[in-house]
Amino acid sequence: MAPRWWLWWHWSAWRRTLPPPPGSTPNFRQWFSTQEQPPQICVVGSGPAGFYTAQHLLKHHPQAHVDIYEKQLVPFGLVRFGVAPDHPEVKNVINTFTQTARSARCAFRGNVVVGRDVAVPELQTAYHAVVLSYGAEDHRALEIPGEELPGVFSARAFVGWYNGLPENRELAPDLSCDTAVILGQGNVALDVARILLTPPEHLEKTDITEAALGVLRQSQVKTVWIVGRRGPLQVAFTIKELREMIQLPGTRPILDPADFLGLQDRIKEVPRPRKRLTELLLRTAIEKPGPEEAARQALASRAWGLRFFRSPQQVLSSPDGQRAAGIRLAVTRLEGVGEAARAVPTGDTEDLPCGLVLSSVGYKSCPIDPSVPFDPKLGVIPNMEGRVVDVPGLYCSGWVKRGPTGVIATTMTDSFATSQMLLQDLKAGLLPRGPRPGYAAIEALLSSRGVRPVSFSDWEKLDAEEVSRGKGAGKPREKLLDPQEMLRLLGR
């Protein structure tokens, strides 16, 4: 009979190959360490959702290899192209993403447009699993007359312009008008208002593009109205962004006390974050500022205001019909209470003169490939906890999974959850067994189609160039805007 230690050792080794019993906490890392075939996993999109998905997979599977595909030549998605230049602390997450990308088991494949250069079914054939994390690359249209007039932009495009998104580098907004109107009352709307009104010298040491800074230096915009369909209790921005607006140098707030009548009693039962936000709005609208603040406001040359209970009906044109000159707003009232309250028109309208209209009513995801289910109404890929409906082995995370809501931390939690589902399916044997070629197969396909991906080390060369260009002006970087210039710098 075999010695007891020999029997115990073989039983332990066999036991480690089994999944944990139901109800216990899964230790994916321990279980996967006994599996021989390293899974090849593909993530599409290198924004927060893509990187957090990859990070979780690499951490909890000691053998997994993850390829991150990105249509831009550079990584980091909305952290690079969406976060406001005066919020550098939010961009610190790039350090974490860089550690992930430098892992020996992770590779960045930039300059590859999934759905054009390579189809999703081709990725599915090459990899054990594919995760779609490509975000929301479009904006929701206003769908009102005059939306096509010069002087009307999506906030998404405007943000892309000052943040150096290559496709928006030639936006050229005309800021020679006195008044701008932003439609929407979320954080993006306040970001745009803040950039329009911030003294340019306060932006000179940020990573805003030099081209955008030059236009802002010449700006004649003195007043920015931020318009919402509903009331103060339904605004979508957070208290941090509101505080920044209230304290913005050289500006004063314009709030109508009539919009806040009776609100003090109604906020007693609302959740604490909403209560604190509304209390700050109330104080700003109703209380008389102290001597110091009053003196500051008296010297302010610019102003911003919140207009509630107004819904855009039509962009009004100049007499020659050549550009936007105002916006017609339908006056609304609320039906229902709290977050669920709906804005319904009263039949009254008002015209608000302006030379710039920025639509900030939401981002929107787009279909990526005919083979992937897509809900055009909700703007998401139909999924169950990140598993794409009726397509085994295909997953989604981030905004394309849940819609364009939440902050970077929300996306982190969401992406970790999708990664967890994928690892559970892998452990349960629901994903393809046996070897998959991974990038080796895709590289051959791309090469035959004349597509030359860029690597993370390529990005690090571009990064060094941007940092070098910014150093002379005391900026953290001067972003490269032209993809052709980027390729030349890489010797392509």
Side-chain angles (χ1 to χ4, degrees):
M1 185 175 175
R4 290 178 64 186
W5 68 264
W6 187 92
L7 291 171
W8 178 88
W9 186 89
H10 279 273
W11 179 86
S12 298
W14 169 80
R15 183 69 186 83
R16 285 196 299 272
T17 68
L18 297 178
S24 65
T25 302
N27 186 338
F28 289 129
R29 190 172 183 85
Q30 180 182 349
W31 188 82
F32 285 131
S33 66
T34 65
Q35 309 308 297
E36 292 181 6
Q37 174 56 40
Q40 300 286 330
I41 300 169
C42 159
V43 173
V44 179
S46 69
F51 264 106
Y52 278 129
T53 300
Q55 176 188 320
H56 194 268
L57 289 168
L58 294 168
K59 180 180 179 181
H60 293 279
H61 195 304
Q63 295 172 304
H65 183 94
V66 180
D67 287 322
I68 303 175
Y69 289 84
E70 169 58 54
K71 71 174 186 175
Q72 303 289 342
L73 276 79
V74 298
F76 311 132
L78 276 185
V79 179
R80 176 179 169 95
F81 297 124
V83 174
D86 57 348
H87 284 174
E89 72 286 351
V90 180
K91 302 185 188 193
N92 288 338
V93 71
I94 284 176
N95 299 328
T96 303
F97 296 163
T98 296
Q99 289 178 3
T100 299
R102 285 175 176 166
S103 164
R105 294 186 290 120
C106 184
F108 172 74
R109 316 290 183 186
N111 198 33
V112 179
V113 182
V114 173
R116 185 193 73 186
D117 300 334
V118 60
V120 171
E122 291 171 327
L123 294 173
Q124 290 175 280
T125 301
Y127 291 89
H128 291 93
V130 175
V131 187
L132 301 174
S133 311
Y134 60 88
E137 57 186 338
D138 203 357
H139 69 280
R140 295 193 180 278
L142 292 171
E143 298 180 348
I144 60 174
E147 186 174 9
E148 74 293 339
L149 283 167
V152 181
F153 302 96
S154 71
R156 182 195 177 281
F158 191 78
V159 169
W161 167 70
Y162 65 63
N163 270 333
L165 182 61
E167 68 193 57
N168 297 132
R169 69 186 187 276
E170 295 176 1
L171 195 72
D174 182 354
L175 305 185
S176 63
C177 59
D178 177 80
T179 302
V181 168
I182 302 171
L183 301 169
Q185 293 182 332
N187 279 343
V188 174
L190 264 59
D191 279 349
V192 169
R194 196 176 65 254
I195 295 299
L196 279 171
L197 294 174
T198 295
E201 61 271 20
H202 289 226
L203 296 172
E204 287 173 351
K205 304 304 181 186
T206 74
D207 67 358
I208 193 169
T209 68
E210 191 55 43
L213 192 56
V215 174
L216 289 166
R217 284 194 184 105
Q218 303 300 316
S219 173
Q220 300 299 308
V221 174
K222 295 290 186 287
T223 305
V224 176
W225 291 106
I226 305 158
V227 178
R229 294 177 298 113
R230 300 190 293 170
L233 272 176
Q234 288 82 31
V235 295
F237 52 73
T238 55
I239 195 167
K240 176 181 179 289
E241 277 69 21
L242 176 61
R243 272 202 205 98
E244 286 180 311
M245 287 301 297
I246 293 169
Q247 296 165 3
L248 192 62
T251 69
R252 61 185 177 84
I254 308 171
L255 298 177
D256 185 352
D259 289 331
F260 297 86
L261 290 175
L263 216 55
Q264 191 71 58
D265 294 330
R266 282 190 282 155
I267 62 172
K268 291 176 181 175
E269 305 302 321
V270 301
R272 188 170 180 269
R274 171 69 68 184
K275 183 179 180 182
R276 290 176 62 237
L277 173 63
T278 310
E279 285 172 342
L280 180 55
L281 278 170
L282 269 166
R283 287 196 301 273
T284 308
I286 293 168
E287 293 182 7
K288 187 177 178 180
E292 190 177 325
E293 177 63 14
R296 188 188 74 83
Q297 291 186 15
L299 294 172
S301 60
R302 297 179 173 186
W304 61 274
L306 295 170
R307 296 294 286 269
F308 299 108
F309 310 110
R310 300 291 186 272
S311 180
Q313 200 172 60
Q314 178 184 351
V315 179
L316 305 173
S317 69
S318 56
D320 60 5
Q322 294 303 300
R323 61 171 296 107
I327 186 153
R328 180 158 294 156
L329 301 169
V331 180
T332 64
R333 60 179 175 81
L334 293 186
E335 284 188 355
V337 293
E339 305 283 345
R342 287 188 320 114
V344 295
T346 63
D348 294 331
T349 63
E350 68 176 32
D351 293 349
L352 187 56
C354 63
L356 178 67
V357 177
L358 294 160
S359 165
S360 184
V361 294
Y363 286 32
K364 183 176 72 172
S365 296
C366 300
I368 193 170
D369 189 286
S371 68
V372 179
F374 190 79
D375 185 331
K377 187 175 180 182
L378 297 177
V380 297
I381 294 172
N383 68 91
M384 297 291 289
E385 297 181 296
R387 299 179 176 99
V388 176
V389 172
D390 296 330
V391 190
L394 190 61
Y395 302 81
C396 57
S397 67
W399 281 2
V400 78
K401 169 186 173 183
R402 71 179 191 276
T405 59
V407 293
I408 291 177
T410 321
T411 294
M412 179 185 70
T413 304
D414 169 286
S415 301
F416 287 179
T418 289
S419 171
Q420 196 85 346
M421 293 301 106
L422 191 160
L423 293 172
Q424 284 182 15
D425 292 350
L426 187 64
K427 184 182 63 177
L430 299 177
L431 297 180
R433 297 181 182 275
R436 287 285 170 111
Y439 182 64
I442 301 304
E443 184 178 28
L445 274 178
L446 294 174
S447 179
S448 71
R449 294 165 185 172
V451 179
R452 298 182 66 185
V454 300
S455 65
F456 198 76
S457 62
D458 288 333
W459 151 246
E460 291 184 313
K461 293 172 189 172
L462 297 176
D463 178 43
E465 177 66 20
E466 289 186 346
V467 171
S468 173
R469 291 187 183 190
K471 191 169 290 183
K475 300 176 66 174
R477 69 179 61 243
E478 185 58 51
K479 290 178 182 174
L480 296 163
L481 308 181
D482 183 357
Q484 294 307 313
E485 183 188 6
M486 295 184 205
L487 291 172
R488 282 196 301 273
L489 288 167
L490 295 174
R492 300 289 177 90

